[in-house]
Amino acid sequence: MRVAAVQLNSIDDKAANLASADRLVRSAAAEGATLVLLPEKWIVIGDPQTLRAAAEPLDGPTVSWARTTAAELGIDLIAGSIVERMEDGRTLSNTCLHIAADGSIQALYRKIHMFDVEVDGRIYRESEVERPGDEIVLSRTGSGVPVGLSICYDLRFPELYRILALRGALMMVVPAAFTLRTTTDHWETLLRARAIENQAFVIAANQVGEHANGSRSGGRSMIVDAWGEVLARLDEGEGHVIADLDLEAQAEIRRKLPSLANRRPATYRWPEQLRAVGEADPDSPQREHTTEALQS
C-alpha cells in the first residue's frame, strides 16, 4: 500500500493554499499513492479572526474540493483538518475528514485535545476559538485497512493511540501544525514512540515555515513503520513524502513481539481521584478562567 503525506506552508490566503494542496495531492497520486494526507488547517492559518472568517460547514467549498478530487483521482484523501463551522453557525471545530475514493465522507474526527500552552513565550489558547471533540474515530481505507484519525497536539496523549490500536488500527494519521520549537525537540520522537508502542504505521503531515500570524511550523513530515523506522521524511519546504507500507511485515512484528497481546488491562487502574500537576480543582471557589486567545 503506497501512502503520501503533503507538507504545506499555509497562510491566510485560502485560494493560494488550495492551489498548493491540489498540486501536491495530484503529484502524490501520480506517483501511485492510494492514500494522501494533508496537514492541519491546510486551507488557512492565521489569527482567531482569520480562522473564524475562513471557517466552513461540511458542505462548503473546501470539502467539496476534497470530495471531487478524491473521486477524480480514485484515492483515499485524508484532508488534514479544516476549521469547521458547526450547524449552529457559531461554534467552530478543528476537524479531520477522511474522504473515500468515491468522494463520500468516510469519517470525520473533531480534535479532542486543545492546544492551550506556552511555547517560546507565545501563548496559544485553541479552546478559546474551537470546541474540543469527544469521540475517538477509527476509519477504513477503500481496501479495508483500519486507520486511526488524530490531529497535531493529540500526539502527546498516548492513550488515544492505544485505544485506536486496540480497536484494530494498523495505521495512524497525524495532520499537524507543530511549532518550530516542538518540531525540533519532540516531533520525531513522539511519532516513532506512537508507532513502536502500537506497532502501527504513522503517517504525519506537518506545516512548514512562517505563517501570516507570525507563528512558525517545523516541517519534517514523515512516514514511520511499525518497527519505528522512518521510511520517508521531508525536512523543509513544500512537497510530499511517499512510502510503501508492508502490512505483512507489520503482522510479523506483531506476531514475534506481541506487546499488544501481552497487555494486562485488569491491573491498570486509572487514578480517577488524582489531578495532573497544574490542573485546577473543579470544586475550588478560587478556580480561574482564562479568556486570552491566540491561534494554535
Side-chain angles (χ1 to χ4, degrees):
M1 178 179 182
R2 181 165 290 185
V3 303
V6 171
Q7 183 162 288
L8 292 173
N9 173 227
S10 296
I11 53 176
D12 58 356
D13 184 333
K14 292 176 71 172
N17 296 335
L18 180 59
S20 294
D22 184 76
R23 172 175 55 84
L24 291 171
V25 166
R26 291 177 183 279
S27 176
E31 292 183 33
T34 58
L35 181 148
V36 180
L37 172 68
L38 286 165
E40 182 183 25
K41 293 180 178 173
W42 61 273
I43 195 63
V44 69
I45 286 185
D47 58 26
Q49 183 177 357
T50 298
L51 293 178
R52 292 187 181 99
E56 298 179 15
L58 295 181
D59 59 357
T62 297
V63 177
S64 177
W65 167 85
R67 297 181 66 174
T68 299
T69 302
E72 177 188 343
L73 299 176
I75 61 171
D76 286 284
L77 176 59
I78 301 184
S81 79
I82 65 166
V83 183
E84 177 193 359
R85 188 177 303 280
M86 308 288 275
E87 290 183 357
D88 63 11
R90 300 183 306 276
T91 306
L92 305 183
S93 170
N94 191 348
T95 302
C96 176
L97 289 153
H98 176 188
I99 310 298
D102 63 0
S104 63
I105 298 177
Q106 175 74 7
L108 66 85
Y109 164 73
R110 296 185 174 103
K111 187 178 181 182
I112 291 173
H113 301 101
M114 297 288 93
F115 192 59
D116 291 354
V117 307
E118 180 179 343
V119 179
D120 280 344
R122 186 181 185 117
I123 305 296
Y124 299 85
R125 290 287 181 265
E126 189 172 45
S127 64
E128 296 291 347
V129 181
E130 295 149 1
R131 186 175 69 186
D134 58 7
E135 182 182 0
I136 296 173
V137 177
L138 180 73
S139 189
R140 288 185 179 273
T141 68
S143 59
V145 178
V147 52
L149 305 183
S150 70
I151 301 172
C152 199
Y153 189 49
D154 286 333
L155 188 58
R156 295 182 182 274
F157 299 87
E159 56 268 40
L160 168 62
Y161 297 86
R162 176 49 53 89
I163 291 170
L164 286 167
L166 294 176
R167 289 183 178 177
L170 296 181
M171 69 176 74
M172 321 281 196
V173 295
V174 188
F178 250 58
T179 70
L180 178 60
R181 175 67 180 276
T182 56
T183 300
T184 300
D185 294 343
H186 300 156
W187 171 249
E188 182 173 336
T189 299
L190 289 169
L191 291 171
R192 295 181 69 186
R194 298 296 86 85
I196 293 166
E197 65 200 8
N198 296 298
Q199 299 176 320
F201 295 98
V202 174
I203 303 115
N206 200 16
Q207 290 277 352
V208 66
E210 186 168 351
H211 307 295
N213 64 343
S215 65
R216 298 178 68 193
S217 298
R220 299 188 187 179
S221 297
M222 66 182 71
I223 299 167
V224 185
D225 73 8
W227 190 252
E229 294 185 0
V230 178
L231 301 178
R233 177 171 61 198
L234 177 62
D235 287 336
E236 298 179 352
E238 292 193 332
H240 69 266
V241 291
I242 196 163
D244 293 313
L245 308 188
D246 189 338
L247 299 176
E248 292 183 1
Q250 177 187 31
E252 188 71 357
I253 289 169
R254 289 186 170 190
R255 184 185 70 80
K256 289 182 176 179
L257 203 166
S259 58
L260 291 173
N262 289 344
R263 293 170 57 257
R264 299 185 60 205
T267 67
Y268 310 146
R269 297 177 181 87
W270 288 98
E272 295 179 359
Q273 302 307 313
L274 300 180
R275 293 187 300 276
V277 174
E279 183 178 353
D281 183 347
D283 298 321
S284 170
Q286 298 180 356
R287 187 182 184 193
E288 296 182 355
H289 298 271
T290 180
T291 57
E292 299 161 332
L294 279 176
Q295 179 262 337
S296 118

